[in-house]
Amino acid sequence: MQSRRKLRVRLIVTFVLFGFCLSALFAGASLYVRAKVENQLIDRSIEADLEQAVENKHLHPEQPPHSDLIIVWFWNDHTVYQAPLAWQGLKPGVYDMRGGSDGMPQRYKLAVVRKYGLDAFLTYDISREDLGKRQLITSLIAAVLLFTLLSLAVGYWLSRRVMRPVTDLAQRLRAFRSGRQLESLAPHFAEDEVGELAAALDDYAQRQSTLIQRDREFNADVSHELRTPLAVIASTTELLVATPGLPPKLQTRLQRIERAVRQATELTQALLLLSRAERSGPVDGETTDVAKVVEEVIDTHRPDVGRKPIELRAEIESVAMVEAPSSVVAVALGNLVGNACKYTQEGEIVVRVQAGRVRIEDTGQGIKAEDAEHLFERGVRGEGETVKGAGLGLAIVRRLCELYGWRVSLAPRADRGTVATLDFGGGEVPG
């Protein structure tokens, strides 16, 4: 999962972590080097002192060690058993020892030299170095905290300077998103990475604006130009239907033409509506009886059922009135009912008019729940070898719903088939 923190916060956190890790690494290295060097110096020092004491003892047996700081124990091969048991078997060298009894300190270093028949031992109390070590650790911790706070301050200051162009770019883009016209971004930024990004956004916005404008103009032009031939076909068909003495078959075919012209006219009006740059659909004070539109849609799509063993019917369970043009409601319901007719091979298709919504239930092949939203995308069609189409019907329904604040959804039916729901929501008028 990607982080939702702002880029500036991430820069500050990164800078603080870098400062903390760097100072902590330096503190750890300082402690290690100090301990290593101190240990080597003490080992060499006490070993050299003990060697010198043994030489003096060999040359001047009766003379005590000349340094008051050195306490040396001497035994020969026959009296070494008088030394502490832990010392007796040690070979020459320097050892880290732990005491606590026989008057020995808790932690000390022991130098051992066996020479001239003498067994010499020298102890050095290193517990007294612990205080200095603790003071050093305290100082290093304080230094780490200080450098971390300094990194926080520097990171905060640098993030403001580094992020200022990006913040300015984001503010200008937010102004565009709020509805204001986007002005050219590149002139407001230096010729750096942010400037290149601004120039790329300018180019992208220009191309998108051109494409959108071209699309709107094309839809508006096509919709406008189709009105005249559709009106001619509709009027001519109406005259032909009114001609007395028409054979029943011819009259049925003319009625089908009449329904197709009405459907094409409604679709043309819907496309013209979608081509406008509006955030909400116009209602023009028109209130539509959903049940009446459902009856017309079912009558229009009965030929789609053909000879398939399907019962297509409407069930009016409640009165539903919607503030929207009847053509828009007809296009939305027509696409949903048309889909049900395409993907149902047998059984029934029931269009239920309920309070504030319409449910289209079919006994077709059904859909997967996870594919429901995907089917509203442009160019996506449902599965079916015998079904043809461009995959635009549901996309048009979704766009109309967004325009009028409605909701449309698909879901698998409990036993078999699909349920399509058109919920008018705030568009409902209490009946």
Side-chain angles (χ1 to χ4, degrees), residues 280-423:
S280 60
V283 296
D284 298 329
E286 183 177 352
T287 300
T288 298
D289 185 350
V290 177
K292 183 178 179 181
V293 175
V294 166
E295 294 290 351
E296 293 175 355
V297 167
I298 288 179
D299 185 54
T300 301
H301 284 85
R302 284 197 187 279
D304 296 340
V305 175
R307 297 182 179 180
K308 293 189 290 186
I310 298 175
E311 180 186 3
L312 175 60
R313 71 178 188 275
E315 293 188 2
I316 312 301
E317 300 178 3
S318 177
V319 177
M321 306 293 291
V322 177
E323 288 186 349
S326 59
S327 59
V328 174
V329 180
V331 170
L333 289 175
N335 277 289
L336 297 177
V337 173
N339 264 14
C341 294
K342 288 179 184 178
Y343 291 95
T344 304
Q345 303 303 320
E346 60 181 0
E348 63 178 5
I349 300 173
V350 183
V351 183
R352 303 183 188 276
V353 180
Q354 301 173 339
R357 68 178 184 178
V358 177
R359 287 168 56 91
I360 298 96
E361 304 173 2
D362 64 58
T363 57
Q365 62 190 28
I367 62 171
K368 298 178 182 178
E370 59 270 19
D371 295 338
E373 279 299 311
H374 186 55
L375 292 174
F376 288 100
E377 298 176 7
R378 290 177 60 88
V380 177
R381 298 191 298 111
E383 298 178 355
E385 297 180 357
T386 60
V387 177
K388 297 181 180 180
L392 298 178
L394 292 180
I396 293 175
V397 175
R398 172 60 62 86
R399 289 182 63 187
L400 289 174
C401 288
E402 291 173 352
L403 201 60
Y404 281 89
W406 303 338
R407 292 184 299 274
V408 63
S409 61
L410 294 174
R413 201 177 178 191
D415 46 2
R416 179 190 174 189
T418 305
V419 178
T421 304
L422 180 60
D423 191 339

Side-chain angles (χ1 to χ4, degrees), residues 49-69:
D49 287 345
L50 185 57
E51 288 279 356
Q52 184 64 40
V54 170
E55 292 292 338
N56 291 338
K57 183 68 174 177
H58 175 66
L59 296 175
H60 309 284
E62 302 301 329
Q63 182 179 349
H66 63 277
S67 175
D68 294 335
L69 298 177

